Amino acid sequence: MLNQSFSAENFRRILDLENRKGLYLEGRFFPNITEITEKIKKYTEEIKDKQKNGIGLDNEIEELYKRKKELKEEKNEKLNAELQKVSEKVVASDFKIQLEKKDFQNAKSLYVTKDSPEYYFTMKQIERNISRLFDVKQSNRNEIVSQVKNLLKDGFPKYVLKIDIDNFYESIPQKILLNKINDDNLLTPFSKKILRNIIKQYTQLSGSNKGIPRGIGVSAYLAELFMRDIDNKIKSMVEISYYARYVDDIIIIFTPKMNAHHVDYLKEIKKIIEDKFYLKLNDQKTDTFDLLDPRQSSSYTMEYLGYKITFGTGDIKTELSQKKFDKYKQRINLTFDNYFNLI
């Protein structure tokens, strides 16, 4: 049984996991512990120097190890005490996650929380609870692209449908999502309370009674949870040989039997996504590719997950899409600008 509690013990697991990823959360949230961490580093360096250069006696090195161990124990005690304070604030009856709306020109609004340990660890614990209980995880982008390339060059007759959902995060029906969470009875009442509070605040800030907040980590897990029924519904369609989705970018490959009656696949997909789940396809980013007649040799180009894939003649060519190329170029330029500003 998963421990869903917002306890100091669970927050410590989150902290240790994030630190292993390279994030130094102690320095970010608990500056009073930084001094101890620096002392531990100093002892570690001193021990290495003495061992490397052979200038220290065994008893001197042993004493350094002892002091280092004592400091680590002191650090752990203080860190656990700080996390206990965080936990007590989170489980208090008046605790609420506060969202802030960030508007950008020519871009969708983002919703963020202030950088506090209470908000950070609460959001991480919620993400962990949803991920573990509902087995929610995001697909591997590179794996999908590799699989699609192999399928597109195999020479078999097929019908390819690439779909994009319009305003995905902003369009997810809140009622269906919350019903799904409540009906399964997997999350604790406190976890559900936090999620309801987040969605309520988003509704107030956005002025819309549908959608989830773009910009906070838990929304990615909620979106995956909502899309699960759509995934299963589409996968159950006949003649599908491949289905993959990365967030709201979907690719479907149909391989109908020879002499089968013609089916309007796009129309059938729309019935599922739009009529049953109340999302809307982005027609400008939705493409169909008919490779059913092997006697016809035509070249097609499809942009998917940041790549431009050219296929249809037996050969396949993959290159970065212009949008992804421009993004990399911008990052490189910003890196050089930051470097030259420092020298």
Side-chain angles (χ1 to χ4, degrees):
M1 187 71 178
L2 178 68
N3 180 358
Q4 299 183 50
S5 67
F6 294 76
S7 63
E9 291 77 16
N10 274 347
F11 289 171
R12 181 59 192 264
R13 291 191 188 96
I14 291 169
L15 182 141
D16 291 339
L17 179 61
E18 296 300 305
N19 280 353
R20 286 197 291 272
K21 294 178 182 178
L23 298 176
Y24 178 47
L25 295 184
E26 296 100 314
R28 178 175 170 182
F29 294 126
F30 312 115
N32 60 318
I33 297 176
T34 302
E35 184 178 348
I36 300 178
T37 302
E38 292 303 316
K39 287 181 180 179
I40 293 173
K41 288 181 180 178
K42 185 177 178 182
Y43 280 128
T44 300
E45 292 171 0
E46 194 171 344
I47 291 169
K48 286 182 178 179
D49 287 341
K50 287 184 178 295
Q51 289 176 332
K52 180 180 179 181
N53 299 320
I55 59 174
L57 299 175
D58 288 343
N59 60 340
E60 291 179 343
I61 295 176
E62 186 177 343
E63 181 63 24
L64 289 173
Y65 270 118
K66 180 181 177 182
R67 292 178 188 173
K68 179 182 173 181
K69 181 181 178 182
E70 290 172 350
L71 279 174
K72 290 180 77 173
E73 290 173 352
E74 181 185 351
K75 177 182 174 179
N76 277 330
E77 288 178 5
K78 287 190 174 183
L79 190 54
N80 290 335
E82 291 290 348
L83 290 171
Q84 182 61 40
K85 293 178 186 176
V86 173
S87 174
E88 290 170 0
K89 290 180 181 179
V90 170
V91 299
S93 59
D94 60 346
F95 176 78
K96 290 182 179 179
I97 294 286
Q98 297 290 332
L99 295 182
E100 182 182 351
K101 184 180 180 183
K102 298 283 188 180
D103 293 320
F104 302 93
Q105 189 174 4
N106 301 323
K108 292 181 173 68
S109 298
L110 295 181
Y111 297 82
V112 298
T113 64
K114 70 177 181 181
D115 195 33
S116 74
E118 294 80 25
Y119 288 178
Y120 182 89
F121 287 103
T122 298
M123 298 298 273
K124 285 294 181 183
Q125 185 63 43
I126 282 283
E127 292 170 21
R128 182 175 184 270
N129 292 347
I130 295 174
S131 176
R132 295 287 185 87
L133 291 170
F134 293 96
D135 192 26
V136 171
K137 56 185 177 181
Q138 198 170 69
S139 301
N140 185 301
R141 176 197 293 260
N142 293 328
E143 187 176 294
I144 292 173
V145 172
S146 177
Q147 291 170 347
V148 169
K149 285 169 57 180
N150 288 332
L151 290 167
L152 291 178
K153 69 180 180 181
D154 64 11
F156 288 101
K158 57 180 67 69
Y159 188 89
V160 182
L161 187 54
K162 191 208 77 169
I163 292 172
D164 180 270
I165 298 175
D166 192 39
N167 291 321
F168 178 47
Y169 275 66
E170 293 77 13
S171 300
I172 291 176
Q174 295 174 359
K175 186 176 180 181
I176 295 177
L177 176 62
L178 289 173
N179 284 343
K180 185 173 184 61
I181 291 170
N182 290 325
D183 290 347
D184 282 339
N185 290 320
L186 292 176
L187 287 171
T188 61
F190 188 80
S191 292
K192 293 177 182 179
K193 174 188 171 183
I194 295 293
L195 288 173
R196 286 196 301 268
N197 169 241
I198 290 171
I199 292 177
K200 182 180 178 180
Q201 281 210 44
Y202 169 76
T203 298
Q204 293 171 343
L205 291 171
S206 66
S208 173
N209 60 1
K210 62 181 180 179
I212 55 178
R214 184 184 296 268
I216 59 174
V218 71
S219 288
Y221 293 88
L222 293 175
E224 288 296 315
L225 182 60
F226 176 81
M227 288 298 294
R228 178 173 293 172
D229 288 340
I230 295 179
D231 294 339
N232 293 334
K233 195 76 175 176
I234 295 176
K235 287 177 182 178
S236 68
M237 294 175 63
V238 297
E239 300 177 339
I240 282 186
S241 59
Y242 182 78
Y243 173 89
R245 178 181 57 80
Y246 185 82
V247 190
D248 61 339
D249 290 314
I250 301 172
I251 189 162
I252 312 167
I253 298 179
F254 298 87
T255 53
K257 297 177 181 178
M258 294 296 294
N259 302 319
H261 69 282
H262 177 72
V263 177
D264 189 337
Y265 295 114
L266 181 56
K267 183 178 179 180
E268 295 301 311
I269 295 297
K270 277 191 173 185
K271 285 181 181 179
I272 296 172
I273 293 177
E274 298 187 348
D275 297 346
K276 293 183 181 296
F277 292 93
Y278 308 105
L279 299 176
K280 191 177 187 314
L281 298 190
N282 185 336
D283 293 332
Q284 293 182 341
K285 294 183 179 180
T286 295
D287 296 305
T288 59
F289 306 92
D290 190 343
L291 289 76
L292 293 175
D293 189 347
R295 296 169 297 179
Q296 296 181 354
S297 180
S298 300
S299 179
Y300 301 97
T301 299
M302 174 179 69
E303 289 199 9
Y304 188 62
L305 301 184
Y307 293 92
K308 185 165 69 173
I309 306 173
T310 304
F311 61 97
T313 58
D315 296 325
I316 191 161
K317 179 182 178 182
T318 308
E319 56 188 328
L320 290 178
S321 66
Q322 188 61 46
K323 184 177 180 180
K324 191 168 186 178
F325 177 83
D326 291 340
K327 184 182 290 186
Y328 283 153
K329 184 178 177 181
Q330 183 184 30
R331 288 178 181 174
I332 293 170
N333 288 336
L334 287 172
T335 301
F336 278 110
D337 288 343
N338 289 334
Y339 171 76
F340 286 122
N341 286 333
L342 291 174
I343 62 175

